[in-house]
Amino acid sequence: MYTILAVVIAYLIGSISFAVVVSHGFGLADPRTYGSKNPGATNVLRSGNKAAAICTLLGDGFKGWLAVWLAIRFGEQFGIDDTGVALVAVAVFLGHLWPVFFKFVGGKGVATALGVLLGLNPWLGLATLATWLIIAYATRYSSLAALIAAFFAPLFYGFMFGPDVLMLAVFVMSALLVYRHRQNIANLIAGKESRIGSKKK
């Protein structure tokens, strides 16, 4: 019963689209109406407002971390085991991808996935973040960095902790993240993908 409640709460937390909320607070256009039309930090950055992009990034990452941290910190006393934590991790990520508060039009999940990984284990999150930073710095393609980091995240988990239900949750998130980047993959192949910092048209 408590596990189901935790999963629902995690989904609702994930459904808070900080790209939309922050853009509204900064008086910017809805990020779903320009650029990639993706409500995420990278697209908000195309507005030219770096502060809004940073707030979006931190907010989306924080909600992923918060849901997992709460499940780990208080779950045991409510009978929430590792399977429950895994479900919470996936639920908050799904909330970001398909938010109930925003007509199920969400982002691609990079920042939220990072927050989840940091919640599961800081070293896991930092290793994945380092992978993203290296690829993003080398190529200036946020999407390519996200795809490569998504590939390595389950491998990092398996190397650090071995296969278990939480590794399965990380794998599911990685697979969903790749799915959400399917248009970016096509754009990368066609040489049409936007680089980090490019302005909206």
Side-chain angles (χ1 to χ4, degrees):
M1 180 64 180
Y2 286 114
T3 297
I4 295 175
L5 180 60
V7 168
V8 171
I9 292 174
Y11 172 77
L12 294 177
I13 291 174
S15 289
I16 302 171
S17 180
F18 279 91
V20 178
V21 173
V22 169
S23 292
H24 179 74
F26 276 80
L28 304 174
D30 189 320
R32 296 170 294 181
T33 64
Y34 63 81
S36 65
K37 295 182 171 56
N38 173 61
T42 301
N43 202 38
V44 172
L45 184 60
R46 293 190 177 103
S47 71
N49 193 313
K50 293 182 180 179
I54 292 172
C55 289
T56 298
L57 181 68
L58 293 176
D60 284 343
F62 175 74
K63 68 184 182 184
W65 174 85
L66 178 65
V68 173
W69 181 82
L70 289 173
I72 293 175
R73 175 66 177 80
F74 300 104
E76 185 176 355
Q77 59 188 292
F78 294 104
I80 299 174
D81 56 12
D82 281 353
T83 299
V85 173
L87 291 172
V88 163
V90 173
V92 70
F93 187 68
L94 289 174
H96 179 79
L97 301 186
W98 294 287
V100 67
F101 303 133
F102 297 92
K103 300 180 180 179
F104 302 101
V105 179
K108 294 174 182 175
V110 177
T112 301
L114 176 60
V116 169
L117 296 178
L118 288 169
L120 291 174
N121 183 273
W123 290 112
L124 172 64
L126 290 174
T128 306
L129 175 60
T131 302
W132 187 93
L133 288 172
I134 291 170
I135 303 302
Y137 179 79
T139 67
R140 290 187 60 232
Y141 285 120
S142 175
S143 56
L144 180 60
L147 290 166
I148 293 176
F151 174 80
F152 277 101
L155 300 181
F156 288 147
Y157 187 97
F159 177 77
M160 293 178 181
F161 311 109
D164 59 19
V165 69
L166 293 174
M167 179 180 173
L168 178 60
V170 174
F171 177 81
V172 169
M173 287 193 302
S174 294
L176 286 169
L177 192 146
V178 171
Y179 170 76
R180 293 288 284 186
H181 280 78
R182 60 194 184 281
Q183 184 59 53
N184 301 90
I185 295 173
N187 290 341
L188 285 166
I189 294 172
K192 298 178 180 178
E193 182 71 350
S194 298
R195 293 180 184 270
I196 295 173
S198 61
K199 299 294 182 66
K200 66 179 181 179
K201 294 182 179 179

